[in-house]
Each structure stands twice: as C-alpha cells, then as structure tokens.
C-alpha cells in the first residue's frame, strides 16, 4: 500500500513551513497570567480559589469541607503536607480499578502546567498526577496549580511538555452538548472541577 502511495505522489517539492504567528491572535497582553487563567476557568464553569504557598493544606481541607467530600484519593507523589489522614494514595505498578475509583468522593492532584489564555490544565501522569484514570473516574476533581506553572498560551505549553508522556488536557468540568445541544456534564470525566491557584502573596 505504501509503495502505491509513493508511486502516486511521485517527486514533490519540499513542504512549505507553517506560519506560527497566531500566538497573539485574540489574546490580550498576559500582564496578569494568573488573573486571566482564573477568568477563563470561571468561563468554563470551574471554581477557582487562591491561597499562599504555606496555606495549601488548609485551603484544600476548607474546599473539600464546603463540598462535603470526605472519601478522597490522591495520586502517588502528591506532597504529604497537602493531604489529610484517611486519604488513599493510588500508585504502584498496577493500573487502578475503575470501580474502586468510582466509590471515592473525589480526587486531589497537582498538574504539569496550565495555560492562561485558554484556562486549560495539563496533566502528564507525573508525580502528584498519577494514572489518567485516577483523575478521570471520580466525579469530583480538585487540582492544585502553582502560579509559576501557568504559561501564557498553548505554544508555550507545547514547548515545555514532553510529547512522549500520556497527557490529559482539561478545560473546565467534563461536558458535552452533542445531544440535541443540551449540555450534559460528567460524561468524559469529573462533573465538578475546583482549581486552587497557589501564589506567594496570593
């Protein structure tokens, strides 16, 4: 089959380079990437919170308490100071059981980075992020994003990410409007997404 394709294509001139000058199209100056990221999150119906670097554990406990989430799982590698006794750490070599994950009230994780312009959070299964199923099966997800992890736009994110890693790109709670244009949430992942943005000086 490939031989037939090569014969049909024949000798072709080198491909033309694709212009990459779209970075600023439709974007306002990223003088406040954290503020822009939070604004985009709320556009997607996610809830955004802010705290200082030494307040993460208390902020997580407060958010979970307000949500009434008590049975929590966390991926291996999440900082212990962010967790509470009784939470189950999911890790190791074997993939987690989706049925067992579904029994949790929610998951708390970190992220690889976030994108201000699109309000997107990227997970790459690194420490504190774990198996993709851990953050896709539970109906609630609380993500901790450090301010220094927020990049201005998608090209900046692509330049920093390792394309060989399994990635999940999250823009708001899971939802689809494919069926009769009615928004249905919780189809492909958590129905509720909370994001805790951590920055010095808040």
């Amino acid at each position: 089959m490939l031989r037939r394709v090569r014969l049909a294509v024949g000798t072709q001139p080198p491909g033309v380079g694709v212009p990459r000058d779209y970075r600023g199209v439709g974007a306002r100056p990223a003088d406040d990437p954290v503020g822009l990221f939070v604004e985009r999150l709320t556009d997607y119906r996610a809830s955004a919170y802010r705290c200082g670097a030494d307040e993460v554990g208390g902020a997580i406990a407060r958010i979970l308490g307000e949500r009434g989430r008590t049975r929590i799982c966390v991926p291996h590698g999440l900082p212990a100071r962010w967790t509470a006794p009784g939470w189950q750490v999911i890790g190791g070599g074997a993939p987690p059981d989706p049925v067992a994950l579904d029994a949790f009230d929610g998951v708390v994780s970190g992220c690889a980075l976030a994108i201000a312009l699109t309000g997107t959070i990227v997970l790459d299964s690194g420490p504190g992020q774990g198996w993709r199923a851990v953050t896709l099966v539970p109906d609630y997800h609380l993500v901790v994003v450090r301010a220094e992890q927020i990049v201005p736009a998608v090209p900046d994110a692509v330049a920093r990410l390792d394309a060989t890693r399994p990635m999940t790109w999250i823009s708001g709670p899971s939802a689809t409007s494919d069926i009769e244009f009615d928004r249905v949430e919780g189809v492909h992942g958590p129905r509720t997404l909370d994001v805790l943005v951590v920055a010095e000086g808040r």
Side-chain angles (χ1 to χ4, degrees):
M1 180 180 291
L2 291 176
R3 183 180 62 82
R4 293 175 61 186
V5 170
R6 293 189 188 99
L7 289 174
V9 172
T11 303
Q12 296 291 328
V16 178
V18 178
R20 302 293 183 184
D21 56 356
Y22 52 79
R23 178 184 303 270
V25 176
R28 70 187 192 199
D31 53 348
D32 180 17
V34 174
L36 181 58
F37 175 63
V38 169
E39 180 181 315
R40 292 292 189 262
L41 285 173
T42 55
D43 287 344
Y44 287 130
R45 301 189 188 182
S47 296
Y49 305 83
R50 299 198 196 196
C51 75
D54 58 346
E55 303 170 316
V56 178
I60 290 174
R62 183 177 66 255
I63 295 167
L64 294 177
E66 292 172 354
R67 291 286 191 183
R69 308 281 176 164
T70 57
R71 190 159 189 257
I72 302 297
C73 65
V74 296
H76 179 74
L78 196 74
R81 63 184 181 280
W82 295 359
T83 67
W87 292 6
Q88 183 168 334
V89 178
I90 307 294
D97 176 17
V99 175
L101 289 175
D102 191 47
F104 287 98
D105 291 336
V107 57
V108 177
S109 81
C111 70
L113 53 77
I115 305 168
L117 182 59
T118 60
T120 302
I121 299 164
V122 183
L123 309 180
D124 67 359
S125 300
Q129 301 165 60
W131 292 87
R132 297 182 70 186
V134 176
T135 53
L136 290 176
V137 175
D139 197 47
Y140 171 80
H141 187 187
L142 171 58
V143 188
V144 179
V145 179
R146 301 191 311 276
E148 61 269 23
Q149 292 179 300
I150 301 175
V151 299
V154 172
D156 304 296
V158 172
R160 288 179 52 173
L161 292 166
D162 180 354
T164 65
R165 297 188 65 83
M167 287 185 278
T168 304
W169 293 54
I170 304 168
S171 296
S174 170
T176 182
S177 298
D178 295 339
I179 304 172
E180 298 180 359
F181 301 104
D182 291 330
R183 181 180 172 94
V184 180
E185 299 181 344
V187 178
H188 310 294
R191 193 187 320 265
T192 305
L193 175 67
D194 284 343
V195 181
L196 180 60
V197 180
V198 182
E200 294 294 343
R202 306 180 64 174

